[in-house]
Amino acid sequence: MKKVIYFGYSEKMIKYLLECEFLDLTGAVGVTGRLTEKYYELVKNKNLKYYEISKKQELSSITDNVSAMEIDFIIMYKFEFIIPESMAQKYAIYNFHGGNLRFNRGAHAVVRTILNRDTETCLSLYKLTGGIDEGLLIGEYEVLVDQEDDVPSLNAKLTEGIPYLLKRLELFLNGKLEGELILAGKYWPKISEKDIIIDLNFDTFDVIRGKILSQREFYGAICEINGRKLRVKRYSFENKKSDEKTMITDNDTVILTDASGTMILHCE
């Protein structure tokens, strides 16, 4: 068995790694504020060595602890900090990325998929070789993106692919599978406010839907009404249509109508 440590805050990944027959999960590194009670319960019940950090600078403080565990490699999934170079040079790192390495690199791949209104995406497993979300691709678990998928629902779909990708990893480690080197894929910067501001004059209903769904788990998309910045997490549709695009604002509600129908934004 290969001795590994997990960097990330996914309780599902902890569960799958514990069930994996060719891996010996000995520890985990989590991020403060991201962890669920189930995560803590799994770590405690399985007697895993556990370290929790709240900022990137704290990673260097656990380097010696990781070295003492005598691991074979590191598994990463949903970990928001870059591994220190000293650790990256010493250990092979296998990362699970919630997007396609060819055209969706970056920290917020799942959110970007929803914003871009992509109809399909994948969970990618690759061995790090240097650049951000670049490396030796070992496998992809493809999923369809529904029109109403938000971040939790899309994450749930992608997470189901972990067991399949772990089997691909086993084949790779046993020399029965060759990886594909993926370099210079499309990199997207972190999501900023400008990405989630709804343009009431020019955004299509589907673009507006994407901005709201991408932020529903967080604070909501941004809608500006009469100089006020409001948040939007909810919307609804009606069949009323108009040959010309119209907009009505009523307190914290925006009603948009065009030839396809009526979209109502419920602002907060």
Side-chain angles (χ1 to χ4, degrees):
M1 295 181 72
K2 298 294 185 180
K3 198 173 182 180
V4 301
I5 184 171
Y6 167 55
F7 281 64
Y9 53 85
S10 169
E11 63 186 57
K12 283 287 188 71
M13 178 60 86
I14 291 274
K15 175 179 176 292
Y16 287 134
L17 291 176
L18 288 169
E19 294 172 351
C20 192
E21 295 181 353
F22 74 96
L23 296 179
D24 176 18
L25 180 63
T26 59
V29 178
V31 180
T32 302
R34 294 283 198 170
L35 309 175
T36 64
E37 290 185 10
K38 183 64 175 177
Y39 184 104
Y40 286 118
E41 181 182 324
L42 284 168
V43 168
K44 181 179 179 180
N45 290 346
K46 297 301 180 179
N47 199 30
L48 300 179
K49 293 181 180 178
Y50 172 67
Y51 307 95
E52 186 171 325
I53 63 172
S54 59
K55 52 187 177 181
K56 177 183 176 181
Q57 290 76 9
E58 295 174 357
L59 272 170
S60 58
S61 66
I62 66 170
T63 302
D64 291 340
N65 302 90
V66 173
S67 297
M69 295 169 66
E70 299 181 342
I71 61 170
D72 291 297
F73 53 83
I74 294 170
I75 295 281
M76 286 179 58
Y77 177 53
K78 292 193 173 298
F79 191 70
E80 54 207 65
F81 303 123
I82 297 176
I83 297 293
E85 186 175 350
S86 59
M87 197 178 295
Q89 289 179 347
K90 185 173 183 179
Y91 302 107
I93 301 174
Y94 296 92
N95 187 40
F96 289 73
H97 173 69
N100 190 303
L101 297 183
R102 298 170 184 83
F103 55 80
N104 193 358
R105 295 167 51 223
H108 299 147
V110 173
V111 173
R112 186 62 67 180
T113 292
I114 297 170
L115 278 175
N116 289 353
R117 307 312 288 147
D118 295 334
T119 57
E120 59 184 17
T121 186
C122 65
L123 182 65
S124 303
L125 170 61
Y126 67 100
K127 182 180 180 181
L128 271 68
T129 58
I132 297 174
D133 295 331
E134 291 184 333
L136 200 60
L137 181 66
I138 296 168
E140 296 172 320
Y141 178 78
E142 298 179 348
V143 302
L144 296 177
V145 184
D146 294 333
Q147 192 177 41
E148 295 293 331
D149 269 331
D150 57 11
V151 172
S153 66
L154 188 50
N155 267 325
K157 290 181 180 180
L158 293 170
T159 302
E160 293 302 315
I162 293 175
Y164 166 76
L165 292 176
L166 287 174
K167 291 178 182 178
R168 300 276 296 180
L169 177 59
E170 183 178 19
L171 292 173
F172 176 80
L173 294 173
N174 290 334
K176 297 179 180 180
L177 175 71
E178 292 187 5
E180 176 187 357
L181 189 61
I182 304 293
L183 301 174
K186 170 68 175 178
Y187 175 80
W188 294 91
K190 289 185 177 181
I191 303 299
S192 64
E193 183 176 287
K194 66 180 178 61
D195 295 309
I196 61 172
I197 293 178
I198 296 171
D199 189 326
L200 295 172
N201 294 312
F202 295 102
D203 283 348
T204 65
F205 287 176
D206 195 46
V207 168
I208 293 173
R209 187 202 316 259
K211 290 180 178 180
I212 295 172
L213 290 172
S214 76
Q215 299 302 305
R216 188 157 65 184
E217 184 190 18
F218 312 111
Y219 299 104
I222 298 173
C223 183
E224 296 184 347
I225 304 176
N226 299 324
R228 296 184 300 154
K229 279 188 178 181
L230 302 177
R231 293 286 179 167
V232 189
K233 293 185 178 182
R234 298 180 298 115
Y235 59 86
S236 56
F237 287 99
E238 293 181 356
N239 290 326
K240 181 181 177 182
K241 301 178 182 180
S242 172
D243 291 335
E244 296 183 2
K245 187 171 183 178
T246 63
M247 178 176 65
I248 300 173
T249 58
D250 181 14
N251 293 323
D252 294 341
T253 302
V254 179
I255 304 172
L256 302 170
T257 303
D258 65 12
S260 65
T262 295
M263 185 177 197
I264 304 171
L265 309 183
H266 306 281
C267 306
E268 301 175 0

